[in-house]
Amino acid sequence: DYLFIRKPYRRGGLASRALDEVRDLCLARDICAITVEVRPDNSPARGLYLGSGFEETDHLLLTLALCSPSHQS
């Protein structure tokens, strides 16, 4: 699903705290990895994820869209 912070609330640490919570929940459930999708031109999101310990990989993400994502409607 999506992590999206509306403009007036950005840069206040909400996304970092949300990622911390997700990481803690995953660790408590023995989930071994979290994968995120981010556009190459989305520097703020990339900075957030890299600053939270995510690492870029050489994997290519392929998608078969079956419907329009709810955040775009």
Side-chain angles (χ1 to χ4, degrees):
D1 287 282
Y2 294 90
L3 170 61
F4 181 83
I5 306 297
R6 292 185 183 272
K7 269 190 179 177
Y9 305 102
R10 292 181 189 168
R11 309 291 307 161
L14 291 174
S16 294
R17 290 196 301 274
L19 285 176
D20 289 345
E21 185 70 20
V22 168
R23 183 181 51 241
D24 292 346
L25 290 169
C26 289
L27 287 169
R29 289 162 177 75
D30 295 324
I31 295 171
C32 299
I34 302 169
T35 302
V36 297
E37 174 187 354
V38 61
R39 288 190 327 264
D41 64 339
N42 190 343
S43 297
R46 289 178 73 187
L48 168 71
Y49 295 129
L50 292 171
S52 295
F54 287 78
E55 298 177 359
E56 292 185 3
T57 68
D58 59 356
H59 292 111
L60 178 64
L61 178 66
L62 304 175
T63 303
L64 173 62
L66 301 177
C67 63
S68 178
S70 61
H71 76 282
Q72 292 181 352
S73 54

mmCIF file of all heavy atoms in Angstrom, residues 7-41:
data_model
loop_
_atom_site.group_PDB
_atom_site.id
_atom_site.type_symbol
_atom_site.label_atom_id
_atom_site.label_comp_id
_atom_site.label_asym_id
_atom_site.label_seq_id
_atom_site.Cartn_x
_atom_site.Cartn_y
_atom_site.Cartn_z
ATOM 1 N N LYS A 7 0.980 17.673 1.681
ATOM 2 C CA LYS A 7 1.977 18.755 1.674
ATOM 3 C C LYS A 7 2.063 19.553 2.971
ATOM 4 O O LYS A 7 3.158 19.798 3.470
ATOM 5 C CB LYS A 7 1.740 19.699 0.497
ATOM 6 C CG LYS A 7 2.491 19.297 -0.723
ATOM 7 C CD LYS A 7 2.416 20.386 -1.787
ATOM 8 C CE LYS A 7 3.227 19.920 -2.982
ATOM 9 N NZ LYS A 7 3.182 20.821 -4.095
ATOM 10 N N PRO A 8 0.943 19.999 3.551
ATOM 11 C CA PRO A 8 1.070 20.834 4.756
ATOM 12 C C PRO A 8 1.747 20.119 5.933
ATOM 13 O O PRO A 8 2.220 20.776 6.857
ATOM 14 C CB PRO A 8 -0.369 21.187 5.121
ATOM 15 C CG PRO A 8 -1.195 20.873 3.927
ATOM 16 C CD PRO A 8 -0.451 19.847 3.140
ATOM 17 N N TYR A 9 1.800 18.784 5.891
ATOM 18 C CA TYR A 9 2.325 18.014 7.016
ATOM 19 C C TYR A 9 3.691 17.397 6.742
ATOM 20 O O TYR A 9 4.239 16.698 7.579
ATOM 21 C CB TYR A 9 1.331 16.915 7.391
ATOM 22 C CG TYR A 9 -0.047 17.473 7.668
ATOM 23 C CD1 TYR A 9 -1.057 17.377 6.726
ATOM 24 C CD2 TYR A 9 -0.313 18.153 8.852
ATOM 25 C CE1 TYR A 9 -2.315 17.914 6.963
ATOM 26 C CE2 TYR A 9 -1.564 18.698 9.098
ATOM 27 C CZ TYR A 9 -2.549 18.577 8.150
ATOM 28 O OH TYR A 9 -3.787 19.116 8.389
ATOM 29 N N ARG A 10 4.252 17.673 5.567
ATOM 30 C CA ARG A 10 5.556 17.112 5.212
ATOM 31 C C ARG A 10 6.677 17.809 5.970
ATOM 32 O O ARG A 10 6.546 18.931 6.430
ATOM 33 C CB ARG A 10 5.791 17.236 3.703
ATOM 34 C CG ARG A 10 4.850 16.352 2.920
ATOM 35 C CD ARG A 10 5.091 16.466 1.442
ATOM 36 N NE ARG A 10 4.024 15.755 0.723
ATOM 37 C CZ ARG A 10 3.801 15.851 -0.571
ATOM 38 N NH1 ARG A 10 4.563 16.613 -1.319
ATOM 39 N NH2 ARG A 10 2.823 15.183 -1.118
ATOM 40 N N ARG A 11 7.795 17.118 6.060
ATOM 41 C CA ARG A 11 9.024 17.609 6.692
ATOM 42 C C ARG A 11 8.867 17.748 8.205
ATOM 43 O O ARG A 11 9.644 18.440 8.848
ATOM 44 C CB ARG A 11 9.483 18.944 6.090
ATOM 45 C CG ARG A 11 9.591 18.982 4.575
ATOM 46 C CD ARG A 11 10.687 18.169 3.984
ATOM 47 N NE ARG A 11 11.981 18.481 4.568
ATOM 48 C CZ ARG A 11 13.038 17.678 4.490
ATOM 49 N NH1 ARG A 11 12.951 16.552 3.862
ATOM 50 N NH2 ARG A 11 14.178 18.005 5.038
ATOM 51 N N GLY A 12 7.882 17.069 8.781
ATOM 52 C CA GLY A 12 7.686 17.130 10.220
ATOM 53 C C GLY A 12 7.994 15.822 10.933
ATOM 54 O O GLY A 12 7.755 15.697 12.125
ATOM 55 N N GLY A 13 8.511 14.837 10.194
ATOM 56 C CA GLY A 13 8.886 13.574 10.807
ATOM 57 C C GLY A 13 7.806 12.504 10.795
ATOM 58 O O GLY A 13 8.028 11.406 11.301
ATOM 59 N N LEU A 14 6.628 12.813 10.235
ATOM 60 C CA LEU A 14 5.547 11.820 10.231
ATOM 61 C C LEU A 14 5.921 10.558 9.451
ATOM 62 O O LEU A 14 5.668 9.444 9.911
ATOM 63 C CB LEU A 14 4.266 12.424 9.636
ATOM 64 C CG LEU A 14 3.569 13.491 10.457
ATOM 65 C CD1 LEU A 14 2.407 14.079 9.664
ATOM 66 C CD2 LEU A 14 3.082 12.909 11.767
ATOM 67 N N ALA A 15 6.499 10.732 8.283
ATOM 68 C CA ALA A 15 6.851 9.566 7.461
ATOM 69 C C ALA A 15 7.918 8.723 8.147
ATOM 70 O O ALA A 15 7.835 7.486 8.145
ATOM 71 C CB ALA A 15 7.324 10.006 6.078
ATOM 72 N N SER A 16 8.892 9.363 8.747
ATOM 73 C CA SER A 16 9.933 8.616 9.471
ATOM 74 C C SER A 16 9.341 7.829 10.624
ATOM 75 O O SER A 16 9.687 6.662 10.847
ATOM 76 C CB SER A 16 11.011 9.565 10.001
ATOM 77 O OG SER A 16 11.717 10.151 8.939
ATOM 78 N N ARG A 17 8.441 8.449 11.357
ATOM 79 C CA ARG A 17 7.800 7.745 12.478
ATOM 80 C C ARG A 17 6.928 6.596 11.978
ATOM 81 O O ARG A 17 6.879 5.531 12.599
ATOM 82 C CB ARG A 17 7.004 8.722 13.331
ATOM 83 C CG ARG A 17 7.915 9.664 14.113
ATOM 84 C CD ARG A 17 7.231 10.383 15.255
ATOM 85 N NE ARG A 17 6.086 11.203 14.878
ATOM 86 C CZ ARG A 17 6.161 12.467 14.475
ATOM 87 N NH1 ARG A 17 7.323 13.074 14.370
ATOM 88 N NH2 ARG A 17 5.067 13.136 14.178
ATOM 89 N N ALA A 18 6.243 6.809 10.851
ATOM 90 C CA ALA A 18 5.435 5.725 10.274
ATOM 91 C C ALA A 18 6.319 4.565 9.851
ATOM 92 O O ALA A 18 5.995 3.395 10.111
ATOM 93 C CB ALA A 18 4.626 6.239 9.089
ATOM 94 N N LEU A 19 7.459 4.853 9.216
ATOM 95 C CA LEU A 19 8.386 3.789 8.821
ATOM 96 C C LEU A 19 8.945 3.057 10.042
ATOM 97 O O LEU A 19 9.105 1.835 10.018
ATOM 98 C CB LEU A 19 9.530 4.353 7.984
ATOM 99 C CG LEU A 19 9.189 4.724 6.560
ATOM 100 C CD1 LEU A 19 10.400 5.370 5.881
ATOM 101 C CD2 LEU A 19 8.738 3.513 5.762
ATOM 102 N N ASP A 20 9.248 3.798 11.095
ATOM 103 C CA ASP A 20 9.718 3.162 12.330
ATOM 104 C C ASP A 20 8.678 2.188 12.868
ATOM 105 O O ASP A 20 9.000 1.074 13.296
ATOM 106 C CB ASP A 20 10.031 4.214 13.402
ATOM 107 C CG ASP A 20 11.267 5.031 13.091
ATOM 108 O OD1 ASP A 20 12.065 4.636 12.214
ATOM 109 O OD2 ASP A 20 11.429 6.097 13.736
ATOM 110 N N GLU A 21 7.422 2.611 12.846
ATOM 111 C CA GLU A 21 6.331 1.761 13.340
ATOM 112 C C GLU A 21 6.188 0.512 12.478
ATOM 113 O O GLU A 21 6.033 -0.610 12.997
ATOM 114 C CB GLU A 21 5.022 2.543 13.368
ATOM 115 C CG GLU A 21 3.852 1.797 13.966
ATOM 116 C CD GLU A 21 3.967 1.589 15.462
ATOM 117 O OE1 GLU A 21 4.727 2.307 16.134
ATOM 118 O OE2 GLU A 21 3.283 0.663 15.968
ATOM 119 N N VAL A 22 6.244 0.685 11.166
ATOM 120 C CA VAL A 22 6.143 -0.462 10.253
ATOM 121 C C VAL A 22 7.307 -1.425 10.500
ATOM 122 O O VAL A 22 7.119 -2.640 10.576
ATOM 123 C CB VAL A 22 6.114 -0.001 8.781
ATOM 124 C CG1 VAL A 22 6.299 -1.169 7.823
ATOM 125 C CG2 VAL A 22 4.811 0.724 8.488
ATOM 126 N N ARG A 23 8.525 -0.878 10.624
ATOM 127 C CA ARG A 23 9.690 -1.725 10.891
ATOM 128 C C ARG A 23 9.508 -2.508 12.187
ATOM 129 O O ARG A 23 9.742 -3.719 12.247
ATOM 130 C CB ARG A 23 10.968 -0.889 10.943
ATOM 131 C CG ARG A 23 12.215 -1.751 11.157
ATOM 132 C CD ARG A 23 13.511 -0.958 11.228
ATOM 133 N NE ARG A 23 13.407 0.141 12.183
ATOM 134 C CZ ARG A 23 13.537 1.424 11.849
ATOM 135 N NH1 ARG A 23 13.737 1.774 10.606
ATOM 136 N NH2 ARG A 23 13.439 2.341 12.778
ATOM 137 N N ASP A 24 9.067 -1.848 13.248
ATOM 138 C CA ASP A 24 8.870 -2.520 14.528
ATOM 139 C C ASP A 24 7.817 -3.625 14.429
ATOM 140 O O ASP A 24 7.990 -4.712 14.984
ATOM 141 C CB ASP A 24 8.484 -1.512 15.611
ATOM 142 C CG ASP A 24 9.615 -0.559 15.967
ATOM 143 O OD1 ASP A 24 10.784 -0.827 15.583
ATOM 144 O OD2 ASP A 24 9.332 0.465 16.616
ATOM 145 N N LEU A 25 6.708 -3.337 13.731
ATOM 146 C CA LEU A 25 5.662 -4.351 13.554
ATOM 147 C C LEU A 25 6.188 -5.551 12.765
ATOM 148 O O LEU A 25 5.886 -6.705 13.096
ATOM 149 C CB LEU A 25 4.452 -3.751 12.850
ATOM 150 C CG LEU A 25 3.625 -2.756 13.660
ATOM 151 C CD1 LEU A 25 2.624 -2.030 12.762
ATOM 152 C CD2 LEU A 25 2.912 -3.460 14.797
ATOM 153 N N CYS A 26 6.971 -5.277 11.739
ATOM 154 C CA CYS A 26 7.532 -6.370 10.929
ATOM 155 C C CYS A 26 8.508 -7.212 11.746
ATOM 156 O O CYS A 26 8.482 -8.452 11.686
ATOM 157 C CB CYS A 26 8.230 -5.819 9.693
ATOM 158 S SG CYS A 26 7.080 -5.145 8.468
ATOM 159 N N LEU A 27 9.378 -6.556 12.493
ATOM 160 C CA LEU A 27 10.324 -7.293 13.328
ATOM 161 C C LEU A 27 9.599 -8.172 14.347
ATOM 162 O O LEU A 27 9.991 -9.318 14.586
ATOM 163 C CB LEU A 27 11.269 -6.322 14.047
ATOM 164 C CG LEU A 27 12.323 -5.655 13.177
ATOM 165 C CD1 LEU A 27 13.020 -4.532 13.945
ATOM 166 C CD2 LEU A 27 13.335 -6.685 12.681
ATOM 167 N N ALA A 28 8.535 -7.657 14.932
ATOM 168 C CA ALA A 28 7.764 -8.415 15.917
ATOM 169 C C ALA A 28 7.093 -9.637 15.293
ATOM 170 O O ALA A 28 6.766 -10.591 16.000
ATOM 171 C CB ALA A 28 6.711 -7.517 16.569
ATOM 172 N N ARG A 29 6.896 -9.615 13.992
ATOM 173 C CA ARG A 29 6.235 -10.726 13.288
ATOM 174 C C ARG A 29 7.225 -11.558 12.472
ATOM 175 O O ARG A 29 6.842 -12.325 11.610
ATOM 176 C CB ARG A 29 5.123 -10.178 12.401
ATOM 177 C CG ARG A 29 3.941 -9.666 13.210
ATOM 178 C CD ARG A 29 3.036 -8.745 12.396
ATOM 179 N NE ARG A 29 1.877 -8.316 13.134
ATOM 180 C CZ ARG A 29 1.867 -7.397 14.098
ATOM 181 N NH1 ARG A 29 2.982 -6.806 14.468
ATOM 182 N NH2 ARG A 29 0.750 -7.044 14.705
ATOM 183 N N ASP A 30 8.521 -11.370 12.753
ATOM 184 C CA ASP A 30 9.586 -12.118 12.067
ATOM 185 C C ASP A 30 9.581 -11.924 10.559
ATOM 186 O O ASP A 30 9.946 -12.825 9.803
ATOM 187 C CB ASP A 30 9.517 -13.604 12.408
ATOM 188 C CG ASP A 30 9.805 -13.871 13.876
ATOM 189 O OD1 ASP A 30 10.660 -13.165 14.452
ATOM 190 O OD2 ASP A 30 9.162 -14.769 14.456
ATOM 191 N N ILE A 31 9.146 -10.758 10.089
ATOM 192 C CA ILE A 31 9.231 -10.418 8.670
ATOM 193 C C ILE A 31 10.658 -9.948 8.414
ATOM 194 O O ILE A 31 11.175 -9.098 9.135
ATOM 195 C CB ILE A 31 8.190 -9.348 8.301
ATOM 196 C CG1 ILE A 31 6.784 -9.924 8.488
ATOM 197 C CG2 ILE A 31 8.407 -8.831 6.881
ATOM 198 C CD1 ILE A 31 5.667 -8.916 8.357
ATOM 199 N N CYS A 32 11.284 -10.500 7.394
ATOM 200 C CA CYS A 32 12.722 -10.314 7.179
ATOM 201 C C CYS A 32 13.098 -9.107 6.335
ATOM 202 O O CYS A 32 14.264 -8.713 6.321
ATOM 203 C CB CYS A 32 13.311 -11.564 6.528
ATOM 204 S SG CYS A 32 13.127 -13.024 7.549
ATOM 205 N N ALA A 33 12.177 -8.537 5.587
ATOM 206 C CA ALA A 33 12.530 -7.414 4.715
ATOM 207 C C ALA A 33 11.292 -6.584 4.401
ATOM 208 O O ALA A 33 10.175 -7.091 4.427
ATOM 209 C CB ALA A 33 13.150 -7.916 3.419
ATOM 210 N N ILE A 34 11.534 -5.332 4.096
ATOM 211 C CA ILE A 34 10.497 -4.418 3.622
ATOM 212 C C ILE A 34 10.982 -3.886 2.282
ATOM 213 O O ILE A 34 12.119 -3.432 2.172
ATOM 214 C CB ILE A 34 10.276 -3.244 4.595
ATOM 215 C CG1 ILE A 34 9.890 -3.744 5.987
ATOM 216 C CG2 ILE A 34 9.227 -2.279 4.043
ATOM 217 C CD1 ILE A 34 9.928 -2.664 7.049
ATOM 218 N N THR A 35 10.139 -3.927 1.289
ATOM 219 C CA THR A 35 10.475 -3.403 -0.026
ATOM 220 C C THR A 35 9.549 -2.238 -0.336
ATOM 221 O O THR A 35 8.347 -2.322 -0.090
ATOM 222 C CB THR A 35 10.313 -4.495 -1.108
ATOM 223 O OG1 THR A 35 11.164 -5.594 -0.769
ATOM 224 C CG2 THR A 35 10.678 -3.982 -2.479
ATOM 225 N N VAL A 36 10.116 -1.160 -0.849
ATOM 226 C CA VAL A 36 9.310 -0.002 -1.217
ATOM 227 C C VAL A 36 9.520 0.306 -2.698
ATOM 228 O O VAL A 36 10.540 -0.041 -3.286
ATOM 229 C CB VAL A 36 9.643 1.241 -0.364
ATOM 230 C CG1 VAL A 36 9.314 0.991 1.092
ATOM 231 C CG2 VAL A 36 11.082 1.667 -0.534
ATOM 232 N N GLU A 37 8.546 0.971 -3.273
ATOM 233 C CA GLU A 37 8.611 1.423 -4.658
ATOM 234 C C GLU A 37 8.638 2.947 -4.639
ATOM 235 O O GLU A 37 7.826 3.575 -3.967
ATOM 236 C CB GLU A 37 7.379 0.932 -5.413
ATOM 237 C CG GLU A 37 7.251 1.451 -6.809
ATOM 238 C CD GLU A 37 5.926 1.053 -7.453
ATOM 239 O OE1 GLU A 37 5.144 0.289 -6.859
ATOM 240 O OE2 GLU A 37 5.667 1.550 -8.562
ATOM 241 N N VAL A 38 9.577 3.524 -5.356
ATOM 242 C CA VAL A 38 9.674 4.976 -5.425
ATOM 243 C C VAL A 38 10.178 5.358 -6.824
ATOM 244 O O VAL A 38 11.023 4.680 -7.393
ATOM 245 C CB VAL A 38 10.596 5.539 -4.317
ATOM 246 C CG1 VAL A 38 12.001 5.012 -4.423
ATOM 247 C CG2 VAL A 38 10.576 7.042 -4.275
ATOM 248 N N ARG A 39 9.604 6.418 -7.367
ATOM 249 C CA ARG A 39 10.046 6.879 -8.693
ATOM 250 C C ARG A 39 11.472 7.423 -8.601
ATOM 251 O O ARG A 39 11.842 8.052 -7.599
ATOM 252 C CB ARG A 39 9.118 7.976 -9.216
ATOM 253 C CG ARG A 39 7.749 7.482 -9.632
ATOM 254 C CD ARG A 39 6.934 8.558 -10.369
ATOM 255 N NE ARG A 39 7.192 9.918 -9.914
ATOM 256 C CZ ARG A 39 6.462 10.563 -9.011
ATOM 257 N NH1 ARG A 39 5.420 9.983 -8.456
ATOM 258 N NH2 ARG A 39 6.758 11.803 -8.671
ATOM 259 N N PRO A 40 12.269 7.225 -9.629
ATOM 260 C CA PRO A 40 13.653 7.724 -9.613
ATOM 261 C C PRO A 40 13.753 9.234 -9.417
ATOM 262 O O PRO A 40 14.716 9.720 -8.834
ATOM 263 C CB PRO A 40 14.206 7.321 -10.988
ATOM 264 C CG PRO A 40 13.364 6.182 -11.424
ATOM 265 C CD PRO A 40 11.986 6.440 -10.838
ATOM 266 N N ASP A 41 12.746 9.996 -9.858
ATOM 267 C CA ASP A 41 12.791 11.452 -9.741
ATOM 268 C C ASP A 41 12.217 11.980 -8.429
ATOM 269 O O ASP A 41 12.171 13.184 -8.204
ATOM 270 C CB ASP A 41 12.073 12.108 -10.922
ATOM 271 C CG ASP A 41 10.581 11.789 -10.957
ATOM 272 O OD1 ASP A 41 10.154 10.782 -10.346
ATOM 273 O OD2 ASP A 41 9.833 12.541 -11.614
#
